[in-house]
Coordinates of all heavy atoms in Angstrom, one line a residue:
M1251 N 214.1 13.9 78.0 CA 212.9 13.1 78.1 C 212.1 13.3 76.9 O 211.7 14.4 76.6 CB 212.2 13.5 79.4 CG 210.8 12.8 79.6 SD 210.1 13.3 81.1 CE 209.7 11.7 81.8
P1252 N 211.8 12.2 76.2 CA 211.0 12.3 75.0 C 209.5 12.6 75.3 O 209.0 12.3 76.3 CB 211.1 10.9 74.3 CG 211.5 10.0 75.4 CD 212.2 10.9 76.4
I1253 N 208.8 13.2 74.3 CA 207.4 13.5 74.4 C 206.6 12.2 74.2 O 206.9 11.4 73.3 CB 207.0 14.5 73.4 CG1 207.7 15.8 73.6 CG2 205.5 14.8 73.4 CD1 207.5 16.9 72.5
S1254 N 205.6 12.1 75.0 CA 204.7 10.9 74.9 C 204.0 10.9 73.5 O 203.7 12.0 73.0 CB 203.8 10.8 76.0 OG 202.8 11.8 75.9
P1255 N 203.7 9.8 73.0 CA 203.0 9.7 71.7 C 201.7 10.4 71.7 O 201.3 11.0 70.7 CB 202.9 8.2 71.3 CG 204.0 7.6 72.2 CD 204.1 8.4 73.4
E1256 N 200.9 10.3 72.8 CA 199.6 10.9 72.9 C 199.8 12.4 72.8 O 199.0 13.1 72.1 CB 198.9 10.5 74.2 CG 198.6 9.0 74.3 CD 199.8 8.2 74.8 OE1 200.7 8.8 75.4 OE2 199.8 7.0 74.6
L1257 N 200.7 13.0 73.6 CA 200.9 14.4 73.6 C 201.4 14.9 72.2 O 201.0 15.9 71.7 CB 201.9 14.8 74.7 CG 202.3 16.3 74.8 CD1 201.0 17.1 75.1 CD2 203.3 16.5 75.9
Y1258 N 202.2 14.1 71.6 CA 202.8 14.4 70.3 C 201.6 14.5 69.3 O 201.5 15.5 68.5 CB 203.8 13.4 69.8 CG 204.5 13.7 68.6 CD1 205.4 14.8 68.5 CD2 204.3 13.0 67.4 CE1 206.0 15.1 67.3 CE2 204.9 13.3 66.2 CZ 205.8 14.3 66.2 OH 206.4 14.6 65.0
E1259 N 200.7 13.5 69.3 CA 199.6 13.5 68.4 C 198.6 14.7 68.7 O 198.1 15.3 67.7 CB 198.8 12.2 68.5 CG 199.6 11.0 68.0 CD 199.9 11.1 66.5 OE1 199.0 11.6 65.7 OE2 201.0 10.6 66.1
K1260 N 198.5 15.0 69.9 CA 197.6 16.2 70.3 C 198.2 17.5 69.8 O 197.5 18.3 69.3 CB 197.5 16.2 71.8 CG 196.6 17.3 72.3 CD 196.4 17.3 73.8 CE 195.6 18.4 74.3 NZ 195.5 18.5 75.8
L1261 N 199.5 17.6 69.9 CA 200.2 18.8 69.4 C 200.1 18.9 67.9 O 199.9 20.0 67.3 CB 201.7 18.9 69.8 CG 201.9 19.1 71.3 CD1 203.4 18.9 71.6 CD2 201.4 20.5 71.7
I1262 N 200.2 17.8 67.2 CA 200.1 17.8 65.7 C 198.6 18.2 65.3 O 198.4 19.0 64.4 CB 200.4 16.4 65.2 CG1 201.9 16.2 65.3 CG2 200.0 16.3 63.7 CD1 202.4 14.8 64.9
A1263 N 197.6 17.7 66.0 CA 196.2 18.0 65.7 C 196.0 19.5 66.0 O 195.3 20.2 65.2 CB 195.3 17.2 66.6
Q1264 N 196.5 20.0 67.1 CA 196.3 21.5 67.4 C 197.0 22.4 66.4 O 196.4 23.4 65.9 CB 196.8 21.8 68.8 CG 196.0 21.3 69.9 CD 196.6 21.5 71.3 OE1 197.8 21.9 71.4 NE2 195.8 21.3 72.3
S1265 N 198.1 21.9 65.9 CA 198.9 22.7 64.9 C 198.1 22.7 63.6 O 198.1 23.7 62.9 CB 200.3 22.1 64.8 OG 200.9 22.8 63.7
E1266 N 197.6 21.6 63.2 CA 196.8 21.5 62.0 C 195.5 22.3 62.0 O 195.2 23.0 61.1 CB 196.4 20.0 61.7 CG 195.7 19.8 60.4 CD 196.5 20.1 59.2 OE1 197.8 20.1 59.3 OE2 195.9 20.4 58.2
I1267 N 194.9 22.4 63.2 CA 193.7 23.2 63.3 C 194.1 24.7 63.2 O 193.4 25.5 62.5 CB 193.0 22.9 64.7 CG1 192.4 21.5 64.6 CG2 191.9 23.9 65.0 CD1 191.8 21.0 65.9
A1268 N 195.1 25.1 63.8 CA 195.6 26.5 63.8 C 196.0 26.8 62.4 O 195.7 27.9 61.9 CB 196.7 26.7 64.7
R1269 N 196.7 25.9 61.6 CA 197.1 26.2 60.3 C 195.9 26.4 59.4 O 195.8 27.3 58.5 CB 198.0 25.1 59.7 CG 198.6 25.4 58.4 CD 199.3 24.1 57.8 NE 198.4 23.0 57.5 CZ 197.6 23.0 56.4 NH1 197.7 23.9 55.5 NH2 196.8 21.9 56.2
R1270 N 194.9 25.5 59.5 CA 193.7 25.7 58.7 C 192.9 27.0 59.0 O 192.5 27.7 58.1 CB 192.7 24.5 59.0 CG 193.2 23.2 58.3 CD 192.1 22.1 58.6 NE 192.6 20.9 58.1 CZ 192.1 19.7 58.3 NH1 191.0 19.7 59.0 NH2 192.6 18.6 57.8
A1271 N 192.9 27.4 60.3 CA 192.2 28.6 60.6 C 193.0 29.8 60.0 O 192.4 30.8 59.5 CB 192.1 28.8 62.1
A1272 N 194.3 29.8 60.1 CA 195.1 30.9 59.5 C 194.9 31.0 58.0 O 194.8 32.1 57.4 CB 196.6 30.7 59.8
R1273 N 194.9 29.8 57.3 CA 194.7 29.8 55.8 C 193.3 30.3 55.5 O 193.1 31.0 54.5 CB 194.9 28.4 55.3 CG 196.4 28.1 55.3 CD 196.7 26.7 54.6 NE 196.2 26.7 53.2 CZ 196.9 26.9 52.1 NH1 198.1 27.3 52.3 NH2 196.4 26.8 51.0
R1274 N 192.3 29.9 56.3 CA 190.9 30.4 56.1 C 190.8 31.9 56.2 O 190.2 32.6 55.4 CB 190.0 29.7 57.0 CG 188.5 30.1 56.8 CD 187.6 29.4 57.9 NE 187.9 30.0 59.2 CZ 188.3 29.3 60.2 NH1 188.3 28.0 60.2 NH2 188.5 29.8 61.4
D1275 N 191.5 32.5 57.3 CA 191.5 33.9 57.5 C 192.2 34.6 56.3 O 191.7 35.7 55.9 CB 192.2 34.2 58.8 CG 191.3 33.8 60.0 OD1 190.1 33.5 59.8 OD2 191.9 33.7 61.1
T1276 N 193.3 34.1 55.9 CA 194.0 34.7 54.7 C 193.2 34.7 53.5 O 193.0 35.7 52.8 CB 195.3 33.9 54.5 OG1 196.1 34.0 55.7 CG2 196.1 34.5 53.3
L1277 N 192.5 33.6 53.2 CA 191.7 33.5 52.0 C 190.5 34.4 52.1 O 190.2 35.1 51.1 CB 191.2 32.0 51.8 CG 190.3 31.8 50.6 CD1 191.0 32.1 49.3 CD2 189.8 30.4 50.6
R1278 N 189.9 34.5 53.3 CA 188.7 35.4 53.5 C 189.2 36.8 53.2 O 188.4 37.6 52.6 CB 188.1 35.2 54.8 CG 186.9 36.0 55.1 CD 186.3 35.8 56.5 NE 185.9 34.4 56.6 CZ 186.1 33.7 57.7 NH1 186.7 34.2 58.7 NH2 185.6 32.5 57.8
D1279 N 190.3 37.2 53.7 CA 190.8 38.6 53.6 C 191.1 38.9 52.1 O 190.8 40.0 51.6 CB 192.0 38.8 54.5 CG 192.3 40.3 54.5 OD1 191.4 41.1 54.7 OD2 193.5 40.6 54.2
L1280 N 191.7 37.9 51.4 CA 192.0 38.1 50.0 C 190.7 38.2 49.2 O 190.7 39.1 48.2 CB 192.9 37.0 49.5 CG 194.4 37.1 50.0 CD1 195.2 35.9 49.5 CD2 195.0 38.4 49.7
L1281 N 189.7 37.4 49.5 CA 188.4 37.6 48.8 C 187.8 38.9 49.1 O 187.2 39.5 48.2 CB 187.5 36.4 49.2 CG 187.9 35.0 48.6 CD1 187.0 34.0 49.2 CD2 187.9 35.0 47.1
R1282 N 187.9 39.4 50.3 CA 187.4 40.7 50.7 C 188.1 41.8 49.9 O 187.5 42.7 49.4 CB 187.6 40.9 52.2 CG 187.3 42.3 52.7 CD 187.6 42.4 54.2 NE 187.4 43.7 54.6 CZ 187.9 44.2 55.8 NH1 188.5 43.3 56.6 NH2 187.7 45.4 56.1
A1283 N 189.4 41.7 49.8 CA 190.2 42.7 49.0 C 189.8 42.6 47.5 O 189.7 43.7 46.9 CB 191.7 42.4 49.1
M1284 N 189.6 41.4 47.0 CA 189.1 41.3 45.6 C 187.8 42.0 45.4 O 187.5 42.6 44.4 CB 189.1 39.9 45.2 CG 190.4 39.2 45.0 SD 190.4 37.5 44.7 CE 189.1 37.2 43.6
G1285 N 186.9 41.8 46.4 CA 185.6 42.5 46.3 C 185.7 44.0 46.3 O 185.0 44.7 45.6
H1286 N 186.6 44.5 47.2 CA 186.8 46.0 47.2 C 187.4 46.5 45.9 O 187.0 47.5 45.4 CB 187.7 46.3 48.4 CG 187.1 46.2 49.7 ND1 187.8 46.4 50.9 CD2 185.8 46.0 50.1 CE1 187.0 46.3 51.9 NE2 185.8 46.0 51.5
I1287 N 188.3 45.7 45.4 CA 188.9 46.1 44.1 C 187.9 46.2 43.0 O 187.8 47.1 42.2 CB 190.1 45.2 43.7 CG1 191.3 45.5 44.7 CG2 190.5 45.4 42.3 CD1 192.4 44.4 44.6
A1288 N 187.0 45.1 43.0 CA 186.0 45.1 42.0 C 185.0 46.3 42.1 O 184.5 46.9 41.2 CB 185.2 43.8 42.0
F1289 N 184.7 46.6 43.4 CA 183.8 47.8 43.7 C 184.4 49.1 43.1 O 183.7 49.8 42.4 CB 183.6 47.9 45.2 CG 182.9 49.2 45.6 CD1 181.5 49.3 45.3 CD2 183.6 50.2 46.1 CE1 180.9 50.5 45.7 CE2 182.9 51.4 46.5 CZ 181.6 51.5 46.3
W1290 N 185.7 49.3 43.4 CA 186.3 50.6 42.9 C 186.4 50.6 41.4 O 186.3 51.6 40.8 CB 187.7 50.8 43.6 CG 187.5 51.1 45.0 CD1 187.9 50.4 46.1 CD2 186.9 52.3 45.5 NE1 187.6 51.0 47.2 CE2 186.9 52.2 46.9 CE3 186.3 53.4 45.0 CZ2 186.4 53.2 47.8 CZ3 185.7 54.4 45.8 CH2 185.8 54.3 47.2
V1291 N 186.7 49.4 40.8 CA 186.7 49.4 39.3 C 185.4 49.7 38.7 O 185.3 50.5 37.8 CB 187.2 48.0 38.8 CG1 187.0 47.8 37.3 CG2 188.7 47.9 39.2
V1292 N 184.3 49.2 39.3 CA 183.0 49.4 38.8 C 182.6 50.9 39.0 O 182.0 51.5 38.1 CB 181.9 48.5 39.5 CG1 180.5 49.0 39.2 CG2 182.1 47.1 39.0
C1293 N 183.0 51.5 40.1 CA 182.8 52.9 40.3 C 183.5 53.7 39.3 O 182.9 54.7 38.7 CB 183.2 53.3 41.7 SG 182.2 52.8 43.1
G1294 N 184.7 53.4 39.0 CA 185.4 54.1 37.9 C 184.8 53.9 36.6 O 184.7 54.9 35.8
L1295 N 184.3 52.7 36.3 CA 183.7 52.5 35.0 C 182.4 53.3 34.9 O 182.0 53.8 33.8 CB 183.4 51.0 34.8 CG 184.7 50.2 34.5 CD1 184.3 48.7 34.5 CD2 185.4 50.6 33.2
V1296 N 181.6 53.4 36.0 CA 180.4 54.2 35.9 C 180.7 55.7 35.6 O 180.1 56.3 34.8 CB 179.6 54.1 37.3 CG1 178.6 55.1 37.4 CG2 179.1 52.7 37.4
L1297 N 181.8 56.2 36.2 CA 182.2 57.6 35.9 C 182.7 57.7 34.5 O 182.4 58.7 33.8 CB 183.2 58.0 36.9 CG 182.7 58.3 38.3 CD1 183.9 58.6 39.3 CD2 181.8 59.5 38.3
F1298 N 183.4 56.7 34.0 CA 183.8 56.7 32.6 C 182.5 56.7 31.7 O 182.5 57.4 30.7 CB 184.6 55.5 32.2 CG 186.1 55.7 32.5 CD1 186.7 54.7 33.3 CD2 186.8 56.7 32.0 CE1 188.1 54.9 33.6 CE2 188.1 56.9 32.2 CZ 188.8 56.0 33.0
A1299 N 181.5 56.0 32.0 CA 180.3 55.9 31.2 C 179.6 57.3 31.2 O 179.2 57.8 30.2 CB 179.3 54.9 31.8
W1300 N 179.6 58.0 32.4 CA 179.1 59.3 32.4 C 179.9 60.3 31.6 O 179.4 61.2 31.0 CB 179.0 59.8 33.9 CG 177.7 59.4 34.5 CD1 177.6 58.4 35.5 CD2 176.4 59.9 34.3 NE1 176.2 58.3 35.8 CE2 175.5 59.2 35.1 CE3 175.9 60.9 33.5 CZ2 174.2 59.4 35.1 CZ3 174.5 61.1 33.5 CH2 173.7 60.4 34.3
A1301 N 181.2 60.1 31.6 CA 182.1 61.0 30.8 C 181.7 60.8 29.3 O 181.7 61.8 28.6 CB 183.5 60.6 31.0
F1302 N 181.4 59.6 28.8 CA 181.0 59.5 27.4 C 179.6 59.8 27.2 O 179.2 60.1 26.0 CB 181.3 58.0 27.0 CG 182.8 57.7 26.8 CD1 183.4 56.9 27.7 CD2 183.5 58.3 25.8 CE1 184.8 56.6 27.5 CE2 184.8 58.1 25.6 CZ 185.5 57.2 26.5
H1303 N 178.8 59.9 28.2 CA 177.3 60.1 28.0 C 177.0 61.6 27.9 O 176.1 62.0 27.1 CB 176.6 59.5 29.2 CG 175.1 59.7 29.2 ND1 174.3 59.1 28.3 CD2 174.3 60.6 29.9 CE1 173.0 59.5 28.4 NE2 173.0 60.4 29.4
V1304 N 177.7 62.4 28.7 CA 177.4 63.9 28.6 C 177.8 64.5 27.3 O 178.7 64.0 26.6 CB 178.1 64.6 29.8 CG1 177.5 64.1 31.1 CG2 179.6 64.5 29.7
T1305 N 177.1 65.6 26.9 CA 177.4 66.2 25.6 C 178.4 67.4 25.8 O 179.0 67.8 24.8 CB 176.1 66.7 25.0 OG1 175.4 67.6 26.0 CG2 175.2 65.5 24.7
D1306 N 178.6 67.9 27.0 CA 179.5 69.0 27.2 C 180.9 68.4 27.4 O 181.1 67.6 28.2 CB 179.1 69.8 28.4 CG 179.9 71.0 28.6 OD1 180.5 71.6 27.6 OD2 180.1 71.4 29.8
R1307 N 181.9 69.0 26.6 CA 183.3 68.5 26.7 C 183.9 68.7 28.1 O 184.5 67.8 28.7 CB 184.1 69.1 25.6 CG 185.6 68.7 25.7 CD 186.4 69.1 24.5 NE 187.8 69.0 24.7 CZ 188.5 67.9 24.8 NH1 187.9 66.8 24.8 NH2 189.8 68.0 25.0
A1308 N 183.6 69.9 28.7 CA 184.2 70.2 30.0 C 183.7 69.3 31.1 O 184.4 68.8 31.9 CB 183.9 71.7 30.3
T1309 N 182.4 69.0 31.1 CA 181.8 68.1 32.0 C 182.3 66.7 31.8 O 182.6 66.0 32.8 CB 180.3 68.2 31.9 OG1 179.8 69.5 32.1 CG2 179.6 67.3 33.0
G1310 N 182.4 66.3 30.6 CA 183.0 65.0 30.2 C 184.4 64.8 30.8 O 184.7 63.8 31.3
M1311 N 185.2 65.8 30.6 CA 186.6 65.7 31.1 C 186.6 65.7 32.6 O 187.5 65.0 33.2 CB 187.4 66.9 30.6 CG 187.7 66.8 29.1 SD 188.4 65.3 28.5 CE 190.0 65.4 29.3
I1312 N 185.7 66.4 33.3 CA 185.6 66.3 34.7 C 185.3 64.9 35.2 O 186.0 64.3 36.1 CB 184.6 67.3 35.3 CG1 185.1 68.7 35.1 CG2 184.3 67.0 36.8 CD1 184.0 69.8 35.4
F1313 N 184.3 64.3 34.5 CA 184.0 62.9 34.8 C 185.1 61.9 34.5 O 185.4 61.0 35.2 CB 182.7 62.4 34.1 CG 181.4 62.9 34.8 CD1 180.5 63.7 34.1 CD2 181.2 62.5 36.1 CE1 179.4 64.1 34.7 CE2 180.0 63.0 36.7 CZ 179.1 63.7 36.0
W1314 N 185.8 62.2 33.4 CA 186.9 61.4 32.9 C 188.0 61.4 34.0 O 188.5 60.3 34.3 CB 187.5 62.0 31.6 CG 188.7 61.3 31.0 CD1 190.0 61.6 31.2 CD2 188.7 60.1 30.2 NE1 190.8 60.8 30.6 CE2 190.0 59.8 29.9 CE3 187.7 59.3 29.7 CZ2 190.4 58.7 29.2 CZ3 188.1 58.2 28.9 CH2 189.4 57.9 28.7
W1315 N 188.5 62.5 34.4 CA 189.5 62.6 35.4 C 189.1 62.1 36.8 O 189.8 61.5 37.6 CB 190.1 64.0 35.5 CG 190.9 64.3 34.3 CD1 190.6 65.2 33.3 CD2 192.1 63.7 33.9 NE1 191.6 65.2 32.3 CE2 192.5 64.3 32.7 CE3 193.0 62.7 34.4 CZ2 193.7 63.9 32.0 CZ3 194.1 62.3 33.8 CH2 194.5 62.9 32.6
A1316 N 187.8 62.3 37.1 CA 187.2 61.8 38.4 C 187.2 60.3 38.3 O 187.5 59.6 39.3 CB 185.8 62.3 38.6
A1317 N 186.9 59.7 37.2 CA 187.0 58.2 37.0 C 188.4 57.7 37.3 O 188.5 56.7 38.0 CB 186.5 57.8 35.6
H1318 N 189.4 58.4 36.7 CA 190.7 57.9 36.9 C 191.1 58.0 38.4 O 191.7 57.1 39.0 CB 191.7 58.8 36.1 CG 191.8 58.4 34.7 ND1 192.5 57.4 34.2 CD2 191.3 59.0 33.6 CE1 192.4 57.3 32.9 NE2 191.6 58.3 32.5
A1319 N 190.7 59.1 39.0 CA 191.1 59.3 40.5 C 190.4 58.3 41.3 O 191.0 57.6 42.2 CB 190.6 60.7 40.9
V1320 N 189.1 58.0 41.1 CA 188.4 57.0 41.9 C 188.9 55.6 41.7 O 189.1 54.9 42.7 CB 186.8 57.1 41.6 CG1 186.1 55.9 42.2 CG2 186.3 58.4 42.2
W1321 N 189.1 55.3 40.5 CA 189.5 53.9 40.1 C 190.9 53.6 40.7 O 191.1 52.7 41.4 CB 189.5 53.8 38.6 CG 190.0 52.5 38.0 CD1 190.0 51.3 38.6 CD2 190.5 52.3 36.7 NE1 190.5 50.3 37.8 CE2 190.8 51.0 36.6 CE3 190.7 53.1 35.6 CZ2 191.4 50.4 35.5 CZ3 191.2 52.6 34.5 CH2 191.6 51.3 34.4
I1322 N 191.9 54.5 40.3 CA 193.2 54.2 40.7 C 193.4 54.3 42.2 O 194.1 53.4 42.9 CB 194.2 55.1 39.9 CG1 194.1 54.7 38.5 CG2 195.6 55.0 40.5 CD1 194.9 55.7 37.5
A1323 N 192.9 55.4 42.8 CA 193.0 55.5 44.3 C 192.3 54.4 45.0 O 192.9 53.9 46.0 CB 192.5 56.9 44.7
G1324 N 191.1 54.1 44.6 CA 190.4 53.0 45.3 C 191.1 51.7 45.2 O 191.2 51.0 46.2
V1325 N 191.6 51.3 44.1 CA 192.3 50.0 43.9 C 193.6 50.1 44.7 O 193.9 49.1 45.4 CB 192.6 49.7 42.4 CG1 193.6 48.6 42.3 CG2 191.3 49.4 41.7
A1326 N 194.3 51.2 44.7 CA 195.6 51.3 45.4 C 195.3 51.2 46.9 O 196.0 50.5 47.7 CB 196.3 52.6 45.1
F1327 N 194.3 51.9 47.4 CA 193.9 51.8 48.8 C 193.6 50.4 49.2 O 194.0 49.9 50.3 CB 192.8 52.8 49.1 CG 192.3 52.7 50.6 CD1 193.1 53.3 51.6 CD2 191.2 52.0 50.9 CE1 192.7 53.2 52.9 CE2 190.8 51.9 52.2 CZ 191.5 52.5 53.2
S1328 N 192.8 49.7 48.4 CA 192.4 48.3 48.7 C 193.5 47.4 48.8 O 193.6 46.5 49.7 CB 191.4 47.8 47.7 OG 190.2 48.6 47.7
V1329 N 194.5 47.5 47.8 CA 195.6 46.6 47.8 C 196.5 46.9 49.0 O 197.0 46.0 49.7 CB 196.4 46.8 46.5 CG1 197.8 46.1 46.6 CG2 195.6 46.2 45.3
L1330 N 196.8 48.2 49.3 CA 197.6 48.5 50.5 C 197.0 48.1 51.8 O 197.7 47.7 52.7 CB 198.0 50.0 50.4 CG 198.9 50.4 49.3 CD1 199.0 51.9 49.3 CD2 200.2 49.7 49.4
A1331 N 195.7 48.2 51.9 CA 195.0 47.8 53.1 C 195.1 46.3 53.3 O 195.3 45.8 54.4 CB 193.5 48.3 53.1
A1332 N 194.9 45.6 52.2 CA 195.0 44.1 52.3 C 196.5 43.7 52.7 O 196.6 42.8 53.5 CB 194.7 43.5 51.0
Y1333 N 197.4 44.4 52.2 CA 198.8 44.1 52.5 C 199.1 44.4 54.0 O 199.7 43.6 54.7 CB 199.8 44.9 51.7 CG 201.2 44.7 52.0 CD1 201.9 43.5 51.6 CD2 201.9 45.6 52.8 CE1 203.2 43.3 51.9 CE2 203.3 45.4 53.1 CZ 203.9 44.2 52.7 OH 205.2 44.0 53.0
R1334 N 198.5 45.5 54.5 CA 198.7 45.9 55.9 C 198.0 44.9 56.8 O 198.6 44.5 57.8 CB 198.1 47.3 56.1 CG 198.5 48.0 57.4 CD 198.1 49.4 57.5 NE 196.7 49.7 57.1 CZ 196.4 50.4 56.0 NH1 197.3 50.9 55.3 NH2 195.1 50.6 55.7
R1335 N 196.9 44.4 56.5 CA 196.2 43.4 57.3 C 197.0 42.1 57.3 O 197.1 41.4 58.3 CB 194.8 43.2 56.8 CG 193.8 44.4 57.1 CD 192.4 44.0 56.8 NE 192.2 43.6 55.5 CZ 191.8 44.4 54.5 NH1 191.6 45.7 54.7 NH2 191.6 43.9 53.3
G1336 N 197.5 41.8 56.1 CA 198.3 40.5 56.0 C 199.6 40.7 56.9 O 200.0 39.7 57.5
E1337 N 200.2 41.8 56.9 CA 201.4 42.0 57.7 C 201.0 41.9 59.2 O 201.8 41.3 59.9 CB 202.0 43.4 57.5 CG 202.8 43.6 56.3 CD 204.2 43.0 56.5 OE1 204.8 43.2 57.5 OE2 204.7 42.3 55.5
K1338 N 199.9 42.4 59.6 CA 199.5 42.3 61.0 C 199.2 40.9 61.4 O 199.5 40.5 62.5 CB 198.2 43.2 61.2 CG 197.9 43.3 62.7 CD 196.6 44.1 62.8 CE 196.9 45.6 62.6 NZ 195.7 46.4 63.0
R1339 N 198.6 40.1 60.5 CA 198.4 38.7 60.8 C 199.6 37.8 60.7 O 199.7 36.7 61.2 CB 197.3 38.1 59.8 CG 195.9 38.3 60.1 CD 195.0 37.5 59.3 NE 195.4 37.4 57.9 CZ 195.1 38.3 56.9 NH1 194.3 39.3 57.2 NH2 195.5 38.2 55.7
G1340 N 200.6 38.3 60.0 CA 201.9 37.5 59.8 C 201.9 36.7 58.6 O 202.6 35.7 58.5
D1341 N 201.1 37.0 57.6 CA 201.0 36.2 56.4 C 202.3 36.4 55.5 O 202.7 35.4 54.9 CB 199.8 36.6 55.5 CG 198.5 36.2 56.2 OD1 198.5 35.4 57.1 OD2 197.5 36.8 55.8
W1342 N 202.9 37.5 55.5 CA 204.1 37.8 54.8 C 205.0 38.7 55.5 O 204.8 39.3 56.4 CB 203.8 38.3 53.4 CG 202.6 39.2 53.3 CD1 202.6 40.5 53.6 CD2 201.3 38.8 52.8 NE1 201.3 41.0 53.4 CE2 200.5 40.0 52.9 CE3 200.8 37.7 52.3 CZ2 199.2 40.0 52.5 CZ3 199.5 37.7 51.9 CH2 198.7 38.9 52.0

């Protein structure tokens, strides 16, 4: 038994609404991840600036390595968290 044209159009409309909502959620989450990445990069750059600002070499090296740790770990965590949320939503 074929589907009636009214029901078919209704199903198409519902599917389109669901697709738009899913794309909106994906875009919102990717923008959120980009914001987190930018935050961790700025935190690392601030620590790099402190590393160049201090006059003591030992303190500068502490800030230097702390900047690397904060920057790389923060970006990695943000990317992996975004991937995990996308997996849970079924984006990829």
Side-chain angles (χ1 to χ4, degrees):
M1251 173 177 232
I1253 298 176
S1254 67
E1256 296 84 20
L1257 179 59
Y1258 186 69
E1259 293 296 325
K1260 183 180 176 184
L1261 290 174
I1262 289 174
Q1264 288 176 347
S1265 175
E1266 182 65 24
I1267 291 170
R1269 187 188 66 81
R1270 285 183 186 170
R1273 288 184 57 93
R1274 183 185 64 235
D1275 291 343
T1276 300
L1277 179 63
R1278 184 179 297 139
D1279 188 53
L1280 289 177
L1281 290 174
R1282 174 183 171 194
M1284 287 171 43
H1286 286 176
I1287 290 169
F1289 171 76
W1290 288 114
V1291 168
V1292 168
C1293 288
L1295 289 175
V1296 167
L1297 287 172
F1298 275 126
W1300 274 104
F1302 286 111
H1303 178 72
V1304 297
T1305 56
D1306 182 33
R1307 177 170 165 70
T1309 306
M1311 290 307 292
I1312 290 170
F1313 281 122
W1314 177 266
W1315 289 110
H1318 281 283
V1320 167
W1321 176 25
I1322 294 170
V1325 169
F1327 176 77
S1328 297
V1329 168
L1330 292 174
Y1333 179 76
R1334 191 171 50 244
R1335 288 190 303 266
E1337 279 283 321
K1338 187 182 286 187
R1339 274 193 319 272
D1341 291 341
W1342 36 77

